[in-house]
Amino acid sequence: MAPAARFRSVVVDCPEPRELARFYAAVGGGTPDEADPDWVVLQVPGGPRLSFQRAPDLTPPEWPRSDRNAQQFHLDFDGGATWAEMDAAHERVLALGARPLDLADREEKDFMVYADPAGHPFCLCRIEHT
């Protein structure tokens, strides 16, 4: 069956589109198109197109709540196949401005949860490359 439409991009609301696009470019790669300060597009190499639109009054989700102001989605990033690679990715995202939300039981879960500078959750996942 043919799809009804083709996927275009994931759009993220945020107070400062240029800043958040630069954060995700540093995390996942690519160069943001910053021509419009209210709508910034980032094509992640080998991945999705992320767009960031200005939402000046954004209230970040309260992770991991689901009863009010719950997250509507989150992004997963491959942090590496080993815990040494994951630790390096962890240090890098912290240096870029991420805030840890859940680092407990990482070996059991194979992921760690962070908030980006605008407060959206994202994960670094340990992925065994075959």
Side-chain angles (χ1 to χ4, degrees):
M1 174 182 267
R6 291 183 310 215
F7 175 78
R8 178 152 170 82
S9 59
V10 174
V11 180
V12 180
D13 291 346
C14 57
E16 298 295 333
R18 286 180 172 158
E19 290 178 20
L20 198 57
R22 290 174 188 160
F23 171 82
Y24 279 110
V27 172
T31 302
D33 176 351
E34 300 181 6
D36 181 345
D38 294 326
W39 180 266
V40 177
V41 176
L42 171 65
Q43 178 62 56
V44 177
R49 174 182 144 134
L50 298 175
S51 298
F52 303 88
Q53 73 178 356
R54 186 173 307 281
D57 298 324
L58 175 78
T59 300
E62 296 178 49
W63 191 92
R65 295 188 72 124
S66 62
D67 58 339
R68 68 167 198 228
N69 198 28
Q71 69 174 330
Q72 296 177 7
F73 73 93
H74 71 271
L75 302 173
D76 283 347
F77 289 90
D78 180 344
T82 68
W83 285 110
E85 291 171 317
M86 287 286 287
D87 289 341
H90 166 82
E91 293 301 324
R92 180 83 193 273
V93 299
L94 292 180
L96 293 169
R99 180 173 46 89
L101 293 178
D102 183 358
L103 306 180
D105 304 323
R106 70 183 200 157
E107 285 85 4
E108 184 177 313
K109 296 185 297 191
D110 281 341
F111 65 88
M112 297 181 288
V113 185
Y114 303 84
D116 68 22
H120 303 98
F122 74 94
C123 295
L124 290 178
C125 303
R126 190 177 71 82
I127 308 293
E128 292 188 28
H129 302 242
T130 57

